[in-house]
Amino acid sequence: MTRCPIIIPLPRVMAMAIAVIVALSAIAQEPDRRHVTPVKPETNQVKPPPKGTDEKIIQQYITGDSTEAVNQARKDSLRRAYKRYPRLTDLTVGINFAEPLFMAFGQSYASADVNATLNMWNRIQPTIELGLGWAKTTPDDLHFIYRGKPSPYFKVGMNYNFMFKNSPDYQALLGIRLGYSTFSYEVTDILYNNSYWQEVISGSISDHSHALWGEAGVGLRVKLAGPISMGWMLRYHGIFNYGKSEHSRPWFIPGYGPRKSSLGFSVSICYTLPLHHEGTTPSPQQ
């Protein structure tokens, strides 16, 4: 028995091919949901302004003009974090009494001064010191008396306050100074034993000198009560130039101390005068 082949009409074949192509195209165009990244739905919620924000800024939040409001809120936050004091914050006048106090306990020299410090932005502090220095000593195993007559000195310089973001009541300072003094001294009751001639020679020297020196120091100043405060400073100093004579060298320099020393110390009791209105302390940083 012979089988006859099934013959499919050509129009039907074409119709089936078109149907398959359309189906495959629809499947290809359908998105693959497994690879779609979920998108967070948008929200119109606006975060409330920081506490203490100006009323105008709050209205901008309410009306939806949030860009300027957010920028202003950030500025307000910076103002609260970083305070800037007025250019002329205060003027402090002090008396340095450290060495007269030390002299009362046996030190052979002293320098005392009145100082004035202008506090600018609670950071930069130009300062000036005016004072007197004097000395009297008899070195061990040496037969003479050295007297430094009370003589003036002055220093000019500047302090830098590392705690400028805090209250002016408490300061940590780095200071530099340039000092100068012109002074007189005398060496009396000199006894010299001449072994060759077997005699003792006596005499005296009176002379005048000057000195220029520099200082660098670190210190603190703290409030005691009201406008009264106290300051301490440890100073390292060195002489640039001083006057010499044919017969002598000065042992003591007013405002500096012994010529061969390298360290000094000051203690001041201070009175502070504010140079701004109370309502502007501190003014915010722009």
Side-chain angles (χ1 to χ4, degrees), residues 45-53 57-58 61-62 69-70 73 77 80:
Q45 181 181 3
V46 178
K47 293 182 179 180
K51 185 177 180 181
T53 304
I57 306 304
I58 296 178
Y61 272 100
I62 296 174
V70 169
S77 298
R80 287 189 291 269

Side-chain angles (χ1 to χ4, degrees), residues 8-58:
I8 300 175
L10 181 59
R12 183 177 295 179
V13 173
M14 294 179 63
M16 292 175 62
I18 293 173
V20 171
I21 292 173
V22 171
L24 292 175
S25 176
I27 293 174
Q29 293 179 359
E30 183 179 357
D32 187 357
R33 299 185 183 277
R34 292 175 299 177
H35 300 286
V36 174
T37 302
V39 178
K40 183 178 180 180
E42 295 183 357
T43 176
N44 292 326
Q45 181 181 3
V46 178
K47 293 182 179 180
K51 185 177 180 181
T53 304
D54 187 83
E55 182 67 26
K56 179 180 178 181
I57 306 304
I58 296 178

Side-chain angles (χ1 to χ4, degrees), residues 61-126:
Y61 272 100
I62 296 174
T63 58
D65 186 10
S66 59
T67 301
E68 183 180 352
V70 169
N71 292 335
Q72 186 64 40
R74 289 174 179 173
K75 291 181 180 179
D76 291 341
S77 298
L78 289 175
R79 289 173 178 175
R80 287 189 291 269
Y82 302 102
K83 300 174 181 178
R84 187 181 69 180
Y85 288 84
R87 179 178 61 180
L88 301 180
T89 307
D90 54 56
L91 176 66
T92 298
V93 179
I95 299 176
N96 172 21
F97 61 90
E99 289 189 351
L101 182 63
F102 297 157
M103 201 172 189
F105 288 92
Q107 184 171 280
S108 58
Y109 60 89
S111 295
D113 58 70
V114 176
N115 51 79
T117 302
L118 178 63
N119 190 5
M120 303 176 68
W121 302 289
N122 197 34
R123 181 183 295 198
I124 306 299
Q125 303 177 352

